[in-house]
Amino acid sequence: MGASPLIKVTDLGKTYDNEGMKTEALRGVSFTIKKGEFVSIMGPSGSGKSTLMHILGLLDRATSGEYYFDGQNTSGLEDNTLAALRNKKIGFIFQAFNLLPRTTVYDNVELPLIYDANTGTDNKQRVIAALKSVGIDHRADYFSNQLSGGEKQRVAIARALVNDPEVIFADEPTGNLDSKTGVQVMEILDKLNREGHTIILVTHETITASYAKRIIKILDGKIVSDKEISDKKRLLAEKGKKIK
């Protein structure tokens, strides 16, 4: 028998109730993701992909169905347990970077370690190692509002990496970047995946999605396809060509 999947969702549903008006954001979603995969969740605005990411990232709860993370059923866990699990095992990269503006690059990256009471005294080594892994260690003493968009996203990736999480979620990570800088960011994520990190990318952009090795397409809250990506398509993505 092989190892249990890192992520397993079964018949997942999410319904929002706004003053009696019910909206089904997710309907009967089921799939598994193994450790070390690079998966894109792709769909147009309003498809449910961001809702799904928030549930997978333990930022929100499903209305129905089951979600197992690293072999643990998350449904009955208390909020503080979910928060601890999220901080220790999950890294996030957002379109808007979500950096503290008048704070140094070093301090931004160190934040997850400060929130984790179990980290030791090796914070400095871990922060510098994370910054080096994305080529931004020379900016450690800069304030985040002194950086370019591409540099900010590198800092955000370093922050996501610093706790050595089980999985990194990237939500439209190239959305605020020009195409050249976007390619550089995707190459960093590709490198991290080749080093063994599990990456789950949420995007509506075909080229960005095709850096992954598997694409799950979602529409109207349902999965409409789940396919492996060929090496040829990934190569075309790296060259910035549109994938059909």
Side-chain angles (χ1 to χ4, degrees), residues 14-239:
K14 179 67 177 179
T15 301
Y16 293 101
D17 191 340
N18 185 16
E19 297 180 354
M21 179 76 75
K22 293 190 176 182
T23 305
E24 282 189 294
L26 295 175
R27 297 182 285 173
V29 171
S30 301
F31 59 83
T32 60
I33 294 175
K34 294 179 288 188
K35 290 184 180 182
E37 282 202 80
F38 189 164
V39 180
S40 282
I41 297 173
M42 194 179 179
S45 179
S47 61
K49 65 183 185 297
S50 293
T51 298
L52 180 57
M53 192 209 79
H54 287 147
I55 292 171
L56 297 179
L58 305 177
L59 295 166
D60 197 1
R61 295 178 185 268
T63 308
S64 58
E66 291 187 327
Y67 173 26
Y68 283 82
F69 179 81
D70 207 11
Q72 185 173 17
N73 190 339
T74 63
S75 304
L77 297 180
E78 300 284 340
D79 288 348
N80 58 348
T81 305
L82 287 177
L85 193 62
R86 188 169 61 239
N87 188 63
K88 195 169 188 63
K89 295 196 172 187
I90 297 175
F92 293 98
I93 304 163
F94 297 101
Q95 178 177 344
F97 319 126
N98 290 7
L99 301 179
L100 299 176
R102 290 176 293 279
T103 307
T104 66
V105 164
Y106 180 97
D107 289 340
N108 267 284
V109 174
E110 190 185 24
L111 270 178
L113 299 178
I114 293 171
Y115 289 134
D116 184 359
N118 296 316
T119 56
T121 56
D122 62 342
N123 281 14
K124 184 173 183 180
Q125 291 93 320
R126 292 171 72 173
V127 172
I128 295 302
L131 289 170
K132 282 184 177 178
S133 72
V134 297
I136 198 75
D137 51 303
H138 61 293
R139 294 279 195 260
D141 295 327
Y142 278 58
F143 289 100
S144 60
N145 55 358
Q146 296 176 302
L147 305 178
S148 68
E151 288 173 330
K152 286 177 181 177
Q153 198 58 293
R154 286 173 186 253
V155 175
I157 295 171
R159 182 183 58 194
L161 277 173
V162 75
N163 256 352
D164 193 23
E166 291 284 349
V167 59
I168 296 171
F169 288 95
D171 187 8
E172 300 282 6
T174 62
N176 282 347
L177 306 175
D178 61 66
S179 56
K180 181 181 178 181
T181 308
V183 166
Q184 291 170 351
V185 166
M186 291 312 302
E187 286 175 347
I188 291 172
L189 292 178
D190 185 53
K191 169 178 165 281
L192 293 174
N193 176 247
R194 283 187 273 110
E195 291 170 353
H197 291 278
T198 306
I199 311 284
I200 299 177
L201 170 72
V202 176
T203 184
H204 68 279
E205 296 175 348
T206 309
I207 292 175
T208 301
S210 297
Y211 274 84
K213 295 173 182 173
R214 173 184 169 197
I215 295 180
I216 297 173
K217 288 187 178 179
I218 188 168
L219 183 67
D220 297 330
K222 292 182 177 180
I223 292 176
V224 292
S225 69
D226 185 347
K227 296 180 180 177
E228 301 287 329
I229 298 301
S230 69
D231 290 339
K232 182 181 178 182
K233 284 189 175 182
R234 299 187 83 227
L235 186 62
L236 286 171
E238 289 165 19
K239 291 181 177 178

